[in-house]
Amino acid sequence: MSTSIFLLWLVSIPLAIHANPQDYLINCGSSSNAEEETLKYIPDDEFISTGNKTTLNRTDILPRLQTLRYFPNSKSRKYCYTFPVIKGGKYLVKTVYFYGGFDGGDKPPVFDQIIDGTKWSIVNTTEDYASGGSSYYEAIVMAHNKFLSVCLARNKETGESSSPFISSLEVHFVDDSVYNSTNLEENMLVTVARSAFGSEGDIISFPDDKYNRYWQPFKDENPFTSTQSNVTPSTFWNIPPKQAFSSALTTSRGKNLTINWPPFSLSGGKYYVALYFQDNRNPSPLSWRVFDINVNGYKFYQNLNVTASGQIVSGNEWPLSGKTEISMFPSIDSPVGPLVNAGEVLQVLALGGRTVTRDVVAMEGLRKELANSPEDWTGDPCLPRENSWTGVSCSKGNSTRILSLNLTGFGLSGKLPSSISKLTALRQLLLGDNKLSGTIPDLSALKSLQNLHLENNQLEGSVPKSLAELPNLREVYLQNNKLNGSIPESIAKKDGVTIKI
C-alpha cells in the first residue's frame, strides 16, 4: 500500500450528510442526483467540460458508484474538475473510485491525482477491486486562489488504451482549527490512516464526523474497553467524532501499552500524527491516569494526564519509515494503566508550486475567448510540469512563469484578448495557421517577446505600433491575414529581425 493513500471499502458504509453551502458532493458521470439516506450527490457537468459518462450494470453498490466519468483522450495532459472556493480557506478533498470493468477489462487502470499544481498520489485500485471493494483517497489543502482544481492524469503505468476514471468527489470546507499546526501555505496533508481503537462497530462517518471523515475500527491483541463518552468534539482542534471515544485499547496497572499502527509499512517521510485520549471514570483521588508516549522509540509526549474531558497529542512533522510502534509507559505511581481511543496519521506533502496569478488570469482570459481550446486547458497552466497545458512551456524555480505559447495549426477560432499582455515573461507567441479573428491587442508589455507568429489567420485592423516597444523581437510573421498598415519602421530597420507581412 502506498504511504500517500489510504484505501477503504465503501460498499457497506452508511452515509448521511447535510451539505454545507461551501461543500461539493459530486456524483461523477451521472445526469441525476444520487441520494443515500439524507446524502445528496449532484451531477458533475457544472464542474468539468471533458470526459465521457457511463453507467455500470450493478445494483449491489452505492448509487453514486453506479456511474462514473472516464477520460479516453490519451493526448490530453490532465482532466480537471474546477470548484469555486474561498481563497485562503481550508478544504478536505475526497475522491472515490469503483472500476466495475466499465471498459470491458478485468484490471483497473493506474493513473495520477493532482490538486492545483501538486501531484497528490497514484490511483491504483487493483487490490480493492479484486476484493469487491471501492477505493478512497483524502487530502487537506488550502485554496490559494478562488478556484480549486482536482485533476486526473496519465502516468507511465497508464496503458495507451486505458482511461482514467472517477466515481465520486467531495470537497468539504473545514474549520480553521482543524490540522492548524501544519503550514498549508507550503504543504498539503494526505490521509494515511484514521482509526477508532478497540472498536468492533462500523466505520464512523457523518453525521458523527461533521466532515464525513472515515474512522476505521482497529483492534489487536491488547485488551479493549467500551466507554460512555462524554467528550465535546468542538473542544478538540481536529473536531473528532464523539463516537471515536466510545472504545479504547488499554492494559492493566503497571503495564506498558504497545500498538503497531498503522497496520502497514510507511515510506520514509514526514507525517502528522494525532492521538486521542479520554478517561471517563468518576473523578476521585485514585482515578488519575498518567503515562509517557513513545513513537518508534522516541519520546512523543511526557507525563500525559488523561482526564474526563479528553486530550489530543500531536506531532506536526514526525519522521516515520516502515512499521510504526506506539508505546505508552505508565508513571510508577499511576493506579491504572495507559489507554488510547483513536489516532490519525497524515503524510505531510510539500506543494509542487503554482503558476503566478497574472499568468493564470491571462491564460483563463485566452481560454474563454477561444471557441475550441485544448481539452486539458484546466487547472494550473504550468504544474505539475509533466501535466502543463498543451502548447504551454514554463520557467523553473519558485516563481513559475509562462515562457512559450505554441498552438500552431490547432484550428483555433476566436479573438486574442487584451489580457494576453499579462504574460510578461512570454518569449514565444506562436498561433499561426488557425482561424483567429478580430484585432491584434496591445503587446507593449511583452518586453521579453522574441517570436510573434500570427500568420494564416483572419486577423483585421492595423499592425499594432506597440511592436516597436518590444526590444527583443526577432521574428514577426503576420502574412495571410486581413491586416492593413505596415510594420513600425524602428522594427523594420532593426538588424537580425525577420519580418513577413
Side-chain angles (χ1 to χ4, degrees), residues 41 70 104-105 152 180-181 205 265 354 358 406 412 421 500:
Y41 284 79
Y70 65 99
L152 310 181
N180 63 358
S181 58
S205 59
S265 294
R354 53 188 181 273
R358 65 183 301 154
N406 185 356
L412 303 175
S421 65
K500 296 182 182 180

Side-chain angles (χ1 to χ4, degrees), residues 219-389:
K219 288 180 61 179
D220 57 12
E221 69 279 1
N222 286 298
F224 63 94
T225 182
S226 297
T227 66
Q228 298 298 319
S229 173
N230 59 357
V231 301
T232 302
S234 60
T235 63
F236 294 80
W237 305 326
N238 294 343
I239 317 181
K242 184 176 181 179
Q243 284 68 18
F245 294 89
S246 63
S247 62
L249 295 175
T250 188
T251 189
S252 56
R253 177 180 179 178
K255 291 187 176 182
N256 301 335
L257 174 62
T258 299
I259 61 174
N260 294 301
W261 177 87
F264 45 80
S265 294
L266 305 180
S267 62
K270 296 180 179 179
Y271 294 81
Y272 174 92
V273 181
L275 300 173
Y276 299 87
F277 309 87
Q278 189 253 350
D279 189 347
N280 70 339
R281 295 173 304 150
N282 294 326
S284 76
L286 297 179
S287 68
W288 49 276
R289 191 188 299 263
V290 178
F291 51 89
D292 296 341
I293 307 167
N294 283 8
V295 175
N296 288 343
Y298 293 93
K299 189 72 67 178
F300 190 74
Y301 198 88
Q302 191 169 6
N303 291 325
L304 176 67
N305 187 356
V306 179
T307 65
S309 58
Q311 285 88 19
I312 175 176
V313 173
S314 64
N316 300 330
E317 295 187 357
W318 197 262
L320 296 177
S321 179
K323 295 290 186 179
T324 304
E325 181 181 88
I326 301 173
S327 302
M328 285 152 274
F329 307 95
S331 64
I332 193 169
D333 54 352
S334 181
V336 289
L339 100 173
V340 59
N341 297 84
E344 294 182 275
V345 174
L346 298 92
Q347 186 178 24
V348 181
L349 181 64
L351 298 180
R354 53 188 181 273
T355 306
V356 297
T357 301
R358 65 183 301 154
D359 285 15
V360 174
V361 171
M363 293 304 295
E364 284 293 332
L366 180 59
R367 181 183 64 82
K368 291 177 181 178
E369 287 292 336
L370 297 178
N372 49 348
S373 59
E375 183 178 346
D376 55 17
W377 274 31
T378 54
D380 191 287
C382 293
L383 300 169
R385 298 193 182 282
E386 63 272 25
N387 304 112
S388 62
W389 290 9

